[in-house]
Amino acid sequence: MTGPEKDHSVDFEDASRGSTAKVVERLGCQIVEGSKSREQHLTVDAVAREFAITRPMARETLQALHQKGLVNLQPRIGAAVQGLEQWDLLDPDVIAWRLEVAPDSQMRSLTELREVIEPRAARLSALSRSAEICHDLTGHARTLLALSEEPDFVRPREGVAVRQRFRDVDAAFHRTLLAGSRNELFLRLSHPVVMALNHRIDRNWIGGHQQAAVGPARAVVGAGTVQRYPIRPEPVAMWLHMGLAYAVDQGLATAAEAFAEALLAEIRGGRLQDPAVLDHLRAGLEQFDPNGLPSPYRSGFHDAMAALVRARRAPVVVMGVSGCGKTTVGQYLAESLGAPFEEGDRFHPRCNVEALENGTRLDDRSRSPWLAAVAARMRAAGSEEGLVITCSALRHIYRELLRAARPDAFFVHLALDQDAATARVAARRSHFMPASLVSSQYEDLEPLQEDEAGLTVDATLPVERIVAEVQTELVRRVRER
C-alpha cells in the first residue's frame, strides 16, 4: 500500500503546485496595494493558513516574491515585506500588479519610461537603417492604419478580433523600433513598453465602458495625464506611426525622433500641443520626404500633419446653461489643446453678480458689458496660443457679438436637459447662480444654427469623450480649409 499512497501524494502536490502562481499573485497584489505593511513579517505557516495551502507551496510563494524584491527572506524569522524602492519594478508580474491596484500612477511611470527611450531608439534606428527593421516598421504602420479604419473596431463584441489584432501589431511595431536601435538595454525594456500599450486598449478602451461612463464627468485631470484609449484610434496617431516608420526608412534621425516624441505626446493631455513638441515636429517634417511614402498614403499624411501643426488655434467658446459643465470641460479642453483657459463668469461686472445672487434675471442691457469683456479677451488671443473660454452665449445675437471680435471662433454647446441642470446648480455651494434662474436660461437658449461654426455635445458624456469629439471636429475643420 505504501507505493500507491506515495504516488497519490506526489499527484496531489503536482496538482497543487499549479495554483502557486495564483497565491503569488494574490499576496503580491496585497503587498503592492499596501494591505501588507512594510517590514511586516510573513512566516511560512502564516501564509499557509491565510491561503489554505501546503507549507511547501507557501515556501515557494515567498521565494517567488523574494526574487521579485517584494519580500526579503530571513533565516528563522520569515519574510519581511519590502518597500517600493526594493521591488524589481521591471518584473512583468510587478508591473501587472501595479497596473491592477494603481493604474494611473503605473501608466504615468511607464509612459515616462517610454518618453525617455523611444525617441532615442527612433533616432538610433534611423541611423542604423537596417533593411529588415525598415521593412517590418513600414509594414506594421500600414497595417495599423488599415485596422484602425475597420468598421468593427468601435463595436464592443464584434470588434474584439480587430482590436486584438491591432494591439498585437502595435506591440510588434514598438518592439521592432527598440530592436532597431541595436541597443540591447532598450530591447530589454520592450516588455514594460508592450504592457503599457496593452493596458490602454485591453483595460482602458473607452468603448468598453460607454454604458458605465455615462453620467457626470469625472474630475479634471492635469496636463500630461495618460488618456484613456479612444473609441477608435486617433487618425493623427496612425499617421505619426507612418511618419516614424518611413523616417527610419529614409534614415532621417531628427525626423524619426520628432515623430516618436509626438506619438507619445498624443496620449498625454496637452502634450501634443506643446510648442516645443510642435517645433521639433515641424523641423522633422522639413527633412521628411512624403514622396517616400507609398502613393495611396501621401495625401492623408500631408493633410494630417498640416492639420496638426496648424490646428486648434481658433478661440473655442464652451457654451450652455448653468450646470452643463462648462468650466470642467473648458479646463480639460484647454489642457489638451495647450491653450490658455478663461472662466467667462469672471468678466461679469459686480452689479451682475449681485443681481444673480439676489435671484434677479439679467437682461440684454446688463449682459452687454459682460459680453464686450469676453469679446475683448477673445480678440486679444493670439493665433498661435489659442484660447478656451466659457460663456453661456445662450442667444444667437450674443454669439454674433463674439464672432464679430473673432470670426474664427468655434462654439461647443454642452446640451443638458432642464431637470439635470437644475439639480446640478442646486448642488453647488460656491457659485452665484441660483437654481431658481435655470428655467430662465432655457427660455433664452437658442441652439447653434447651421451658419454657426460649432458642435453640440451631450453634456452627460465623460469629459474625455467630449474633449475627444471637439478635437476631432477641430482637426476636420482645419483639413477642409
Side-chain angles (χ1 to χ4, degrees), residues 422-481:
T422 302
R424 287 188 183 186
V425 174
R428 298 193 304 201
R429 295 291 180 267
S430 58
H431 196 278
F432 52 76
M433 179 69 181
S436 60
L437 291 180
V438 171
S439 60
S440 69
Q441 292 206 317
Y442 281 88
E443 294 173 11
D444 290 337
L445 178 60
E446 297 174 355
L448 290 172
Q449 300 178 15
E450 290 185 2
D451 65 336
E452 295 181 285
L455 178 69
T456 299
V457 188
D458 181 354
T460 66
L461 292 174
V463 63
E464 305 100 318
R465 182 169 172 186
I466 294 174
V467 169
E469 290 191 15
V470 174
Q471 290 177 330
T472 299
E473 180 62 17
L474 288 172
V475 171
R476 186 192 67 78
R477 289 178 59 79
V478 171
R479 289 177 180 171
E480 292 179 351
R481 290 177 185 172

Side-chain angles (χ1 to χ4, degrees), residues 319-321 367 392-396 398-399 441 444-446:
M319 59 166 283
V321 299
R367 285 192 177 100
S392 55
L394 299 175
R395 297 181 60 195
H396 183 265
Y398 303 160
R399 299 191 290 272
Q441 292 206 317
D444 290 337
L445 178 60
E446 297 174 355

Side-chain angles (χ1 to χ4, degrees), residues 56 64 100 141 161 182 191 204 236 260 302 317 342 390-391 410 434 437:
E100 183 68 30
R182 297 183 183 275
H191 193 82
N204 231 1
V236 68
H302 176 272
V317 181
E342 292 281 7
T390 62
C391 178
F410 184 84
L437 291 180

Side-chain angles (χ1 to χ4, degrees), residues 58 320 339-340 385:
E385 68 172 356

Side-chain angles (χ1 to χ4, degrees), residues 61-369:
T61 295
L62 292 176
Q63 288 172 343
L65 293 175
H66 173 77
Q67 293 174 353
K68 299 176 186 297
L70 271 66
V71 302
N72 181 31
L73 288 175
Q74 300 172 322
R76 295 184 299 277
I77 297 178
V81 175
Q82 299 291 87
L84 181 144
E85 66 276 6
Q86 301 298 325
W87 301 349
D88 181 357
L89 297 176
L90 295 178
D91 181 273
D93 288 336
V94 175
I95 293 174
W97 299 336
R98 295 185 71 197
L99 285 171
E100 183 68 30
V101 302
D104 287 349
S105 63
Q106 177 67 117
M107 279 299 295
R108 184 175 63 251
S109 296
L110 291 172
T111 303
E112 287 169 354
L113 175 67
R114 293 180 61 196
E115 288 168 342
V116 171
I117 65 172
E118 288 195 54
R120 185 63 181 176
R123 169 175 283 275
L124 294 173
S125 294
L127 291 174
S128 64
R129 203 180 180 185
S130 159
E132 182 179 1
I133 294 296
C134 292
H135 173 271
D136 290 347
L137 274 180
T138 54
H140 292 327
R142 294 192 301 272
T143 302
L144 285 175
L145 178 61
L147 289 170
S148 74
E149 295 173 345
E150 284 284 341
D152 280 346
F153 194 104
V154 302
R155 297 169 181 153
R157 293 184 179 178
E158 298 87 340
V160 169
V162 175
R163 291 191 300 275
Q164 178 69 45
R165 173 66 174 150
F166 180 92
R167 191 199 76 166
D168 292 345
V169 175
D170 195 26
F173 180 98
H174 290 273
R175 278 196 302 266
T176 301
L177 182 68
L178 294 175
S181 71
R182 297 183 183 275
N183 183 304
E184 71 281 3
L185 295 179
F186 284 0
L187 185 57
R188 174 69 176 81
L189 294 172
S190 62
H191 193 82
V193 168
V194 169
M195 291 189 74
L197 293 168
N198 290 352
H199 177 79
R200 287 191 73 221
I201 196 165
D202 286 347
R203 304 287 298 279
N204 231 1
W205 177 57
I206 290 177
H209 308 277
Q210 290 186 75
Q211 296 302 319
V214 173
R218 75 177 194 181
V220 173
V221 292
T225 300
V226 179
Q227 303 299 301
R228 294 175 66 186
Y229 204 90
I231 299 292
R232 181 184 293 281
E234 293 290 346
V236 68
M238 299 301 95
W239 291 115
L240 288 170
H241 278 86
M242 190 78 71
L244 171 54
Y246 281 91
V248 171
D249 185 56
Q250 294 176 24
L252 302 174
T254 298
E257 186 175 44
F259 282 120
E261 181 183 50
L263 187 55
L264 286 160
E266 189 272 332
I267 70 172
R268 295 272 219 159
R271 292 281 176 87
L272 190 51
Q273 287 301 306
D274 186 315
V277 173
L278 289 180
D279 286 347
H280 196 191
L281 183 59
R282 290 187 186 100
L285 287 169
E286 289 178 1
Q287 295 181 353
F288 188 78
D289 179 12
N291 291 324
L293 294 169
S295 57
Y297 303 103
R298 293 172 192 167
S299 176
F301 176 82
H302 176 272
D303 290 348
M305 293 302 103
L308 178 58
V309 298
R310 295 200 315 261
R312 309 180 179 100
R313 291 314 177 195
V316 178
V317 181
V318 183
M319 59 166 283
V321 299
S322 291
C324 68
K326 294 188 293 293
T327 299
T328 298
V329 172
Q331 289 177 333
Y332 199 135
L333 180 61
E335 290 171 348
S336 72
L337 299 179
F341 172 75
E342 292 281 7
E343 172 57 72
D345 283 343
R346 80 175 188 86
F347 293 97
H348 271 296
R350 184 59 197 169
C351 59
N352 282 7
V353 175
E354 292 174 351
L356 290 169
E357 287 176 336
N358 293 327
T360 302
R361 178 177 179 175
L362 299 181
D363 56 20
D364 287 354
R365 183 176 180 180
S366 57
R367 285 192 177 100
S368 180

